[in-house]
Amino acid sequence: MGISGSSSFSAGAEVCKDSTPEAPEAGAAQAGAVQAGARFESSAQTQRLLAERGYIADEALSISLFLASKLGRPLLLEGAPGVGKTELAKVVSQILGTELIRLQCFEGLDLAQAAYEWNYPRQLLEIQARGAGGGSVASGASVAGDAGGRVADLFTDAYLLRRPLLAAIDPARTRAPVLLIDELDRADEEFESFLLELLSDFQITIPELGTVRAVHRPLVLLTSNRTREVHDALKRRCLYHWIDYPSVEREVEILCRKVPGLSERLARQLAEFVHRLRRVDLYKLPGVAESIDWAEALRELGVERLDEQQLNVTVGCFLKHQDDVERLRNGLGGELLEAVGAS
């Protein structure tokens, strides 16, 4: 489960405390604050660093992330939309103080969009310049009398366009980035074959140039909403973790951390309501991200106690399909409110 941790509010407190540490002033060291460029030294320290950045991870997820970092293995994260898979990669890059390179997968994604392609317009200009006896577009050197030039000269690093996968293993990098391959299940199954060499050896073979190997291996996180199964060949190259919806208690803590000023009472009402709603057969169940959006909306509206009227006017914050919205407004919402004692 990707949402856990210790309680962030005091017993009997009216308002949840914001437990996310404030950024230290320039030039000042803040005790206990996460410093850019930290390393994962243990699972407990990994869990603490994530919590200090506002991401509540349970022990299992912290161990998986720690091992992925220590063993140099990609980590495949599966779970329902909105449970914090993509957010984890963002937080990890902040903790490590390194660049986040994100490849957003979609249907039809191919190697040219994901890894590399040749700069054909620039190559064409180079050929035309050589044919006219002018200077080289790439180097500025004179190539008069060499109308044809050498074809091999057109397939060099100067004409290579690096896409996210190749950029992540660029040997010129001075430190390892975090590579996020997001929503892998949206890509075609054939695309997974492009990833096998990268995930196993952290290298990409370019026929015209040879093999490009990472000097500093990126920390690779792959996410999937499991709209289809990921092939076993890819899974064998990764560590695996399933991020589930949080328990009521953990979701209360998440809301308290993410929505400063939200009352503890309202946070619990929202968490219990959403927890029960996820047991209903809806077209699209609300994730943690939707719970946070809803809590922020109610806070801005000055709502202190959830009732059916407030539920009906803010339903668009956590349900995004009209059939689900109508079902909630036509009796389901009232039943759930009554069940959580918020009516």
Side-chain angles (χ1 to χ4, degrees):
M1 191 176 300
I3 343 262
S4 68
S6 61
S7 177
S8 62
F9 48 86
S10 304
E14 290 296 330
V15 179
C16 298
K17 295 180 180 178
D18 179 17
S19 54
T20 302
E22 297 178 357
E25 296 180 0
Q30 182 181 11
V34 177
Q35 301 298 321
R39 299 175 59 185
F40 296 133
E41 302 293 349
S42 68
S43 60
Q45 180 244 23
T46 299
Q47 187 175 20
R48 177 179 60 81
L49 290 177
L50 290 172
E52 290 179 359
R53 289 287 181 178
Y55 190 97
I56 307 172
D58 64 11
E59 184 180 12
L61 178 56
S62 300
I63 289 175
S64 296
L65 180 58
F66 168 69
L67 291 177
S69 175
K70 278 296 184 182
L71 301 179
R73 297 286 299 277
L75 176 59
L76 173 60
L77 301 168
E78 285 194 323
V83 294
K85 301 184 296 296
T86 301
E87 182 67 18
L88 178 63
K90 297 177 182 178
V91 172
V92 168
S93 70
Q94 294 171 8
I95 292 173
L96 301 180
T98 191
E99 181 183 1
L100 172 63
I101 299 177
R102 179 175 179 175
L103 174 63
Q104 178 63 52
C105 297
F106 55 88
E107 186 176 355
L109 179 65
D110 59 20
L111 191 64
Q113 297 163 310
Y116 72 91
E117 63 178 326
W118 294 105
N119 191 339
Y120 294 118
R122 189 175 182 186
Q123 288 174 322
L124 181 59
L125 288 173
E126 179 70 18
I127 293 172
Q128 291 173 342
R130 292 179 181 185
S136 170
V137 172
S139 64
S142 175
V143 291
D146 185 11
R150 291 187 302 163
V151 173
D153 292 344
L154 300 176
F155 292 94
T156 60
D157 192 70
Y159 300 98
L160 188 64
L161 298 176
R162 291 172 174 80
R163 303 308 185 199
L165 298 183
L166 186 60
I169 62 168
D170 189 345
R173 286 189 170 275
T174 58
R175 64 182 309 170
V178 173
L179 173 61
L180 170 62
I181 303 176
D182 207 13
E183 296 184 311
L184 178 61
D185 53 321
R186 289 182 175 269
D188 300 325
E189 294 183 11
E190 293 78 7
F191 175 72
E192 293 180 26
S193 62
F194 297 144
L195 298 176
L196 299 183
E197 182 184 18
L198 173 70
L199 298 180
S200 60
D201 300 320
F202 293 88
Q203 66 181 35
I204 294 176
T205 299
I206 303 174
E208 299 86 350
L209 280 182
T211 300
V212 178
R213 295 183 178 87
V215 175
H216 301 282
R217 290 188 172 190
L219 176 57
V220 182
L221 301 179
L222 304 94
T223 75
S224 169
N225 295 330
R226 209 175 184 184
T227 57
R228 66 169 178 84
E229 284 293 332
V230 175
H231 284 190
D232 288 341
L234 187 142
K235 285 186 174 181
R236 284 197 301 270
R237 288 161 169 81
C238 303
L239 302 182
Y240 177 84
H241 186 82
W242 173 268
I243 300 182
D244 206 350
Y245 293 117
S247 65
V248 172
E249 292 299 328
R250 288 171 176 171
E251 193 149 8
V252 169
E253 181 179 1
I254 294 167
L255 295 177
C256 287
R257 284 178 177 263
K258 292 295 187 179
V259 190
L262 186 72
S263 70
E264 179 187 340
R265 177 185 182 184
L266 183 57
R268 183 164 297 279
Q269 287 178 345
L270 296 185
E272 291 181 353
F273 182 91
V274 173
H275 184 73
R276 291 177 180 273
L277 185 61
R278 291 180 185 137
R279 300 175 183 174
V280 180
D281 184 19
L282 298 176
Y283 185 83
K284 170 68 172 64
L285 298 178
V288 180
E290 285 75 25
S291 296
I292 295 171
D293 287 345
W294 191 21
E296 289 177 339
L298 293 176
R299 181 194 60 185
E300 294 301 320
L301 292 172
V303 176
E304 296 183 358
R305 179 180 176 84
L306 187 61
D307 57 32
E308 194 163 355
Q309 179 183 359
Q310 297 296 339
L311 174 66
N312 289 336
V313 298
T314 59
V315 62
C317 295
F318 59 94
L319 292 182
K320 307 301 172 68
H321 289 273
Q322 183 58 25
D323 290 346
D324 294 342
V325 170
E326 289 300 322
R327 186 175 177 186
L328 193 77
R329 287 174 172 168
N330 291 332
L332 176 61
E335 294 175 7
L336 295 178
L337 284 174
E338 184 177 354
V340 302
S343 56

